[in-house]
Amino acid sequence: MRSSFVLFLLVLSGCTLFIPPEPPPGPPPELPPVIEPETAPEPAPEPEPVAEPAPVPEPEPDPEPQNIEPLVAVVLSDRTPAYVEVAQALDQYLDNHDTYDLSDRSLPPKDAFRAIAQSNASAIVAIGLPAARAARRFATVPVVVGQVFNLHESELLSDDVKAVAVLPPIGLQLDAWHELDPSIRNVGAILGPGHERLIEEAEEAMAARGIKFHHAIAQSDRETLYLFNRLVRDIDGFILFPDNRILSRTVLTEMMSYALRHRVQVAVFNEPLLEFGALFNAATIEDDIAARIALVLEQAIEGDWQSVPPVTPLSKIEVQPNPLVLQRLGLAAPSGELTDGLAEVQ
């Protein structure tokens, strides 16, 4: 029995040895990838609306003067065409006016202004320096002065005496000059004392256009010539202001001749100076002067006199180029398109 039990154990262990071992567990089966649910992309933020630049407001048109019904006295220094033409242009705005000519020796200034006071005129227009001086002395109603350059001479302006500019705006003159010669960069001028506001206006206008302003103050015509001869070396253009205190015919002729030799362009305010070699004449327009005077008269009659500036600027210019000087400087336009286009610049 013992032998049989041992044999049984051996057989059992042999069976155990011959049972094949279980294969090692393989890698876990791969699970199908988890597919994330597609999410709709977030909408891109709408771009902020681009603010369009505000349109540049167009300049308001100059107010049109209305017809003036109350009596106005128009006082002429003499029968100079520039004075008479302004007086004639005023007719369209004045329903009731009397004209006085101080060059008429039968009516001295004091008597003329006594007659004006007796006529109950509501305002006076004084055209030319002698008329302005007489009005400053004798007038008893508001006075509007026209066609006077040296306004500060004799202290013409006051609370009762206002003026309209005698020259066109410097900015319009420079724009016209730039049309003739875009390369202009240095412009000079010589004035007598008392024109600080005009110098300031010229400096501002030229700086805005990239032009350097060279100016000097003279006390006499000979000093004007001396200063001009020094200034010519630094400028390519010169504005000849009509300051008769520091100019004489002899000095004027020398200056124009010297400017031509050095190819310096000269802008003037008097048409006859084109014959002396000026590049162009910047002329005022009588209707524009009359309209400015009428607007000031309106304010005087309506009782708004204190808001009127000491000098009311003009708004237009008429440019008269010199074709011969344009050709000499190589600035003439083909077929005259440039000169034709500058006939009137507003």
Side-chain angles (χ1 to χ4, degrees), residues 134-170:
R136 178 75 171 85
R137 183 177 179 185
F138 299 117
T140 57
V141 292
V143 177
V144 184
V145 173
Q147 299 299 79
V148 176
F149 179 65
N150 291 311
L151 286 166
H152 296 280
E153 189 178 25
S154 303
E155 299 181 347
L156 290 176
L157 301 179
S158 69
D159 291 340
D160 297 318
V161 180
K162 306 296 177 75
V164 168
V166 68
L167 301 180
I170 296 295

Side-chain angles (χ1 to χ4, degrees), residues 24-330:
E30 295 185 0
L31 298 176
V34 178
I35 300 176
E36 298 285 343
E38 294 185 2
T39 57
E42 294 183 5
E46 294 184 4
E48 295 183 4
V50 179
E52 296 184 1
V56 178
E58 295 184 2
E60 295 183 5
D62 292 325
E64 289 293 330
Q66 305 299 315
N67 280 13
I68 297 170
E69 296 180 1
L71 177 64
V72 173
V74 179
V75 182
L76 295 172
S77 295
D78 52 51
R79 304 301 295 181
T80 298
Y83 300 163
V84 174
E85 289 167 3
V86 170
Q88 291 173 343
L90 267 172
D91 287 350
Q92 61 186 308
Y93 302 112
L94 305 179
D95 289 346
N96 189 12
H97 69 281
D98 294 330
T99 301
Y100 300 81
D101 180 5
L102 296 187
S103 64
D104 181 358
R105 299 301 179 186
S106 65
L107 189 66
K110 187 175 182 179
D111 293 342
F113 281 89
R114 182 184 295 114
I116 292 171
Q118 294 172 351
S119 72
N120 293 322
S122 58
I124 295 171
V125 177
I127 303 178
L129 183 57
R133 285 174 172 163
R136 178 75 171 85
R137 183 177 179 185
F138 299 117
T140 57
V141 292
V143 177
V144 184
V145 173
Q147 299 299 79
V148 176
F149 179 65
N150 291 311
L151 286 166
H152 296 280
E153 189 178 25
S154 303
E155 299 181 347
L156 290 176
L157 301 179
S158 69
D159 291 340
D160 297 318
V161 180
K162 306 296 177 75
V164 168
V166 68
L167 301 180
I170 296 295
L172 294 183
Q173 183 188 40
L174 294 174
D175 290 341
W177 204 336
H178 189 264
E179 289 291 326
L180 293 170
D181 183 5
S183 68
I184 197 80
R185 288 293 178 271
N186 290 275
V187 172
I190 301 172
L191 297 108
H195 288 289
E196 290 78 11
R197 182 66 193 96
L198 179 59
I199 291 172
E200 182 181 345
E201 177 190 347
E203 285 180 331
E204 291 175 358
M206 292 190 194
R209 292 161 176 80
I211 299 173
K212 186 175 180 180
F213 185 41
H214 308 253
H215 67 276
I217 307 298
Q219 303 292 334
S220 67
D221 60 338
R222 299 312 301 180
E223 186 180 8
T224 297
L225 182 61
Y226 169 75
L227 293 171
F228 180 78
N229 290 343
R230 293 184 58 187
L231 201 58
V232 156
R233 295 171 292 185
D234 301 321
I235 60 176
D236 44 21
F238 184 81
I239 299 178
L240 185 63
F241 287 109
D243 195 339
N244 55 12
R245 300 171 301 169
I246 61 167
L247 292 173
S248 63
R249 185 175 181 86
T250 300
V251 165
L252 188 59
T253 302
E254 290 188 44
M255 289 173 62
M256 298 300 293
S257 175
Y258 199 65
L260 279 175
R261 290 200 305 272
H262 288 79
R263 300 179 65 83
V264 172
Q265 304 169 22
V266 181
V268 297
F269 299 96
N270 195 340
E271 184 177 3
L273 291 176
L274 293 175
E275 299 180 4
F276 286 75
L279 178 68
F280 69 95
N281 175 44
T284 54
I285 300 172
E286 289 77 15
D287 285 346
D288 184 37
I289 299 171
R292 301 299 105 185
I293 291 174
L295 287 171
V296 176
L297 285 173
E298 278 183 19
Q299 292 176 277
I301 292 170
E302 292 172 358
D304 192 23
W305 186 243
Q306 297 307 315
S307 67
V308 177
V311 181
T312 297
L314 300 177
S315 62
K316 297 180 182 178
I317 185 174
E318 184 178 352
V319 177
Q320 301 163 306
N322 187 333
L324 295 178
V325 176
L326 285 171
Q327 284 186 343
R328 179 170 179 173
L329 297 176

